[in-house]
Amino acid sequence: MEKQENQINIELSADIAEGIYSNLAVISHSTSEFVIDFIRIMPGTPKAHVKSRIILTPEHAKRLLFALQDNISKFESQHGKINMPENRNNPPIPMGFGGGEA
């Protein structure tokens, strides 16, 4: 019988499985960690709330980068290129959301 090494059983609770919507991420780092704050901005509200904070080692941050690149490549091969604004290094904060005037 073949032995499977490095197998991890991952549990996902019902409340975590629901997910948390975020339309902004703020990333900062020190010499030993990367911090990603996932934020939800809602139109017409003066304050945005951090909904989740993830802290990673530099090595895990780079693994996340590679995993995102791989998944974006797969997504684009199935659904077409993801269009980005010309100012992609400093995108505008999504405040307008479109729709009618209040």
Side-chain angles (χ1 to χ4, degrees):
M1 181 180 254
E2 212 174 296
K3 188 178 180 183
Q4 289 187 351
E5 292 186 30
N6 298 326
Q7 185 177 358
I8 298 174
N9 291 324
I10 298 173
E11 292 184 16
L12 182 62
S13 65
D15 59 327
I16 298 297
E18 287 182 27
I20 295 174
Y21 178 76
S22 170
N23 54 7
L24 177 66
V26 175
I27 303 170
S28 55
H29 67 276
S30 69
T31 56
S32 60
E33 61 198 14
F34 279 72
V35 177
I36 307 173
D37 287 328
F38 292 95
I39 300 162
R40 183 184 309 155
I41 297 175
M42 298 306 290
T45 58
K47 203 189 277 189
H49 297 278
V50 174
K51 294 298 183 176
S52 183
R53 172 173 278 185
I54 306 297
I55 303 169
L56 306 160
T57 65
E59 294 83 7
H60 282 100
K62 198 159 193 177
R63 286 186 188 106
L64 175 61
L65 169 67
F66 292 152
L68 283 170
Q69 287 174 329
D70 181 53
N71 277 269
I72 288 171
S73 177
K74 290 174 183 174
F75 176 92
E76 288 183 330
S77 71
Q78 292 177 343
H79 304 284
K81 184 173 172 53
I82 299 169
N83 295 318
M84 295 292 294
E86 288 185 34
N87 191 10
R88 70 178 198 178
N89 290 330
N90 192 16
I93 295 174
M95 295 298 287
F97 287 85
E101 293 292 319

